[in-house]
Amino acid sequence: LFNEAGNYDESLKILTSRRFHVWEGGEGLLAPFVDALLLRGLNELAAKAFGAAQKDFETALTYPENLQAGRPGDAGMEPKVRYCLAQCRKAQGDDAGCTAELKNALKGWVTPGEMNYYRFRALTELGRPVEAAAQLEELKKGIAALEKPQPRVIDAYAKFGGENTSAERVGYRTAQALYLRGLAALAEGWPVEARDLFGQALKKRPSMIWAKAMLGGC
């Protein structure tokens, strides 16, 4: 809730001051931890507080023990973090550091979706348009997967309600597809269309903080 309200300091006070225990079927807290650091870092970057922004971006690459967060088998959210870190280094005139982070954003595998957008941006800035175009195609595969009708399945955790219910999952997929469509529109140079898509995503799911952040940056 603090993240959704843009109060990243309060969010991080909670996330760094106690130990959390992830239960079976529950989601870990690495995502809101990374979100808070990245969004606060982007605000700091906009304010030219480069040292603070770099520290937040670098911390977003960690896997805190108190959150019981382990490094995933794929690249996780690292492409997004590395791209933000590259922009921070670029703003400080560190071209070599920027290039290194753009290349780091390409390491590891990712499932088709949001991370392909940041790899598209990284490859575009590295002057590798053919590879960038392939990342855009992967992003579009992620959109298609979200919009594909899902088979009816029995979910053992649905009895707990919340995000485990069928209606919530459908709502999430619809909003996420709109968000990814907005990213694809940005990648293809259509900012007006992107704004509309991010706005639609937020109407479907007001808690989508990255749709809100991208809407503000279009």
Side-chain angles (χ1 to χ4, degrees), residues 117 143 177-187 190 193-194 197-198:
Y117 171 77
I143 296 168
L178 288 166
Y179 169 62
L180 294 186
R181 282 191 172 278
L183 293 181
L186 277 185
W190 301 335
E193 290 83 351
L197 288 161
F198 293 138

Side-chain angles (χ1 to χ4, degrees), residues 112-129:
E114 182 186 17
M115 295 305 122
N116 296 114
Y117 171 77
Y118 293 96
R119 289 191 166 173
F120 170 87
R121 288 295 184 199
L123 286 162
T124 299
E125 292 188 28
L126 288 169
R128 294 155 62 177

Side-chain angles (χ1 to χ4, degrees), residues 150-154 166:
Q150 295 297 295
R152 293 178 63 86
V153 296
I154 297 174
S166 297

